[in-house]
Amino acid sequence: MKPVPFEYVAVKSVNEAITALEKYGDNTVIIAGGQSLMQEMNLRQARPSCLVDINGITDLDYIEETGDAIKIGALTRHRTVEKSEIVKRNCPLLQEAVTHIAHFQIRNRGTIGGSLRQNPPGAEYGVVARVLNAQFVIAGPDGKRVLSGEEFFVSHFKTAVKQNEIIVEIIFPKLTKDTGYGFLEVTRRHGHIPIVSAAATLQLNEDDTVKDAQVALGNVSPQGVPYKVQSVSQLIGKPFTQEILDQLANDIKNEVNPDPEADAKAGYTLQLSRIMGRRVSEISSAEYRKEASSVLSIRALQKAYQQIKGTFQ
Ligand SMILES: Cc1cc2nc3c(=O)[nH]c(=O)nc-3n(C[C@H](O)[C@H](O)[C@H](O)COP(=O)(O)OP(=O)(O)OC[C@H]3O[C@@H](n4cnc5c(N)ncnc54)[C@H](O)[C@@H]3O)c2cc1C
């Protein structure tokens, strides 16, 4: 199929983009890499009356290092993030996660802003953004606002970005040298959107007890937003033993709450089946996602531990 007729405006600045989003009406949307939007338009799942093409805003294509953070412009391609020395040095967890996104052809075009705005459940950037407490800079007619991950992600394929706003930058804190990290996901096959994804960070005290532990999971919350695991805080101050991890594994299974009805919800069903390229009835159940949450969280933490200890394979 082909898209319905639409107008097209190419802009060269953030202000021009905001003006165009307002001028051409409510059904006007941004196009960045087009890797999700064009597919939706061709299938007529999206029927925008006007596209605002932001590929000419070259100012939004950058990766910068500041004191304790790295700043990534919204138009930065997945492939640029993957290959960046700044990301490799300061936020290797993000770099590892990006290699799991789709195939390199899609990573060559798709942008970090587009992916985060799309917010498909389980998507890699969202999980990393949540575990690291990244911040989102959004520009609109009234200027800029900065949102936390908790504020930014709203529900399946929904974020707090308004129709007349544009994501301009994502700020990731640098990982300190003593932080171990792990990223894992289960997918139907490499390059598919994850069924469940997990990102973990870990720091140890000198006596080998846990100083800090964080885990975020994708596609396990009823709202379909990246989820920060609460029960992982029980590790703090304790030795990193198998017994304690077994207890945590059990608690994570009880804590996460994948929506059993999610597959039946129209919007979600449509989007998920499109992204996964198969019928929704074939997609793994909530029970499976609970089990996967627990296994992936523990393995991601173990990877982080092995990394700190220098035994990482
Ligand atoms: C076969 C296939 C497999 C994929 N696998 C994965 C995967 O494993 N993991 C994963 O995370 N993704 C996956 N994707 C999606 C891919 O990462 C897309 O690149 C991404 O979702 C959208 O980025 P884009 O720049 O192409 O955005 P577009 O398609 O151009 O836009 C997507 C949405 O974001 C909006 N938008 C874009 N930029 C901005 C901005 N700066 N501010 C506000 N709104 C904006 C658009 O209006 C639109 O609503 C896959 C896609 C395909 C086709």
Side-chain angles (χ1 to χ4, degrees):
M1 279 170 71
K2 294 283 173 223
V4 296
F6 57 88
E7 288 190 77
Y8 172 87
V9 188
V11 295
K12 288 202 160 28
S13 72
V14 169
N15 282 344
E16 274 183 49
I18 295 165
T19 305
L21 286 166
E22 295 213 299
K23 179 175 165 193
Y24 291 92
D26 288 353
N27 206 14
T28 302
V29 299
I30 287 170
I31 184 161
Q35 298 304 296
S36 296
L37 186 59
M38 283 315 300
Q39 197 179 358
E40 285 177 14
M41 288 172 64
N42 286 338
L43 293 169
R44 299 204 174 181
Q45 290 165 351
R47 295 165 174 252
S49 54
C50 179
L51 292 186
V52 176
D53 184 343
I54 62 168
N55 284 280
I57 315 180
T58 47
D59 290 0
L60 290 187
D61 182 1
Y62 60 86
I63 300 177
E64 276 172 19
E65 190 177 346
T66 63
D68 54 3
I70 56 171
K71 298 182 169 185
I72 304 185
L75 198 64
T76 308
R77 314 284 164 183
H78 308 325
R79 192 72 166 162
T80 309
V81 177
E82 183 185 341
K83 295 283 172 199
S84 162
E85 278 303 315
I86 293 178
V87 176
K88 184 176 172 187
R89 217 171 37 244
N90 299 296
C91 201
L93 168 62
L94 176 62
Q95 187 180 43
E96 183 172 337
V98 174
T99 63
H100 292 265
I101 299 178
H103 311 288
F104 75 87
Q105 294 91 338
I106 291 160
R107 294 203 294 278
N108 276 338
R109 284 299 299 166
T111 65
I112 186 168
S115 178
L116 285 162
R117 172 63 187 80
Q118 183 77 4
N119 186 28
E124 290 83 355
Y125 281 125
V127 174
V128 174
R130 273 306 262 134
V131 83
L132 296 180
N133 295 323
Q135 292 182 303
F136 302 81
V137 184
I138 296 161
D142 301 324
K144 285 187 183 167
R145 58 192 183 120
V146 181
L147 300 184
S148 66
E150 216 164 356
E151 296 162 323
F152 180 85
F153 297 107
V154 173
S155 65
H156 310 112
F157 299 96
K158 277 206 185 121
T159 65
V161 184
K162 296 181 192 142
Q163 182 274 333
N164 58 1
E165 290 183 319
I166 170 169
I167 304 168
V168 290
E169 184 178 84
I170 303 92
I171 305 170
F172 290 90
K174 287 181 182 173
L175 283 185
T176 56
K177 295 289 169 223
D178 63 342
T179 304
Y181 63 89
F183 181 87
L184 290 161
E185 61 180 41
V186 275
T187 55
R188 292 276 167 190
R189 66 175 70 129
H190 182 76
H192 276 216
I193 203 95
I195 296 167
V196 177
S197 48
T201 59
L202 184 73
Q203 287 176 299
L204 299 177
N205 292 309
E206 273 180 15
D207 65 359
D208 247 14
T209 56
V210 174
K211 184 173 165 192
D212 187 53
Q214 306 285 336
V215 174
L217 293 164
N219 205 15
V220 301
S221 79
Q223 298 80 19
V225 297
Y227 177 73
K228 198 95 181 267
V229 176
Q230 303 299 307
S231 48
V232 71
S233 65
Q234 69 186 268
L235 294 184
I236 292 169
K238 303 215 177 101
F240 195 79
T241 61
Q242 192 56 50
E243 195 189 345
I244 285 167
L245 291 181
D246 288 346
Q247 177 62 48
L248 176 62
N250 208 37
D251 291 348
I252 291 175
K253 237 183 288 180
N254 291 329
E255 179 184 334
V256 298
N257 186 21
D259 184 355
E261 302 298 319
D263 295 352
K265 284 182 183 156
Y268 183 87
T269 301
L270 194 68
Q271 297 268 20
L272 201 57
S273 53
R274 174 182 56 73
I275 282 178
M276 296 187 75
R278 59 191 64 227
R279 293 213 320 266
V280 168
S281 57
E282 294 174 62
I283 294 168
S284 302
S285 67
E287 247 351 275
Y288 176 88
R289 280 182 273 151
K290 264 184 182 229
E291 196 66 45
S293 299
S294 160
V295 172
L296 293 187
S297 298
I298 300 302
R299 284 192 53 202
L301 283 166
Q302 284 172 327
K303 249 177 121 172
Y305 181 83
Q306 288 161 358
Q307 209 173 51
I308 295 171
K309 293 288 168 190
T311 55
F312 181 67
Q313 304 286 316

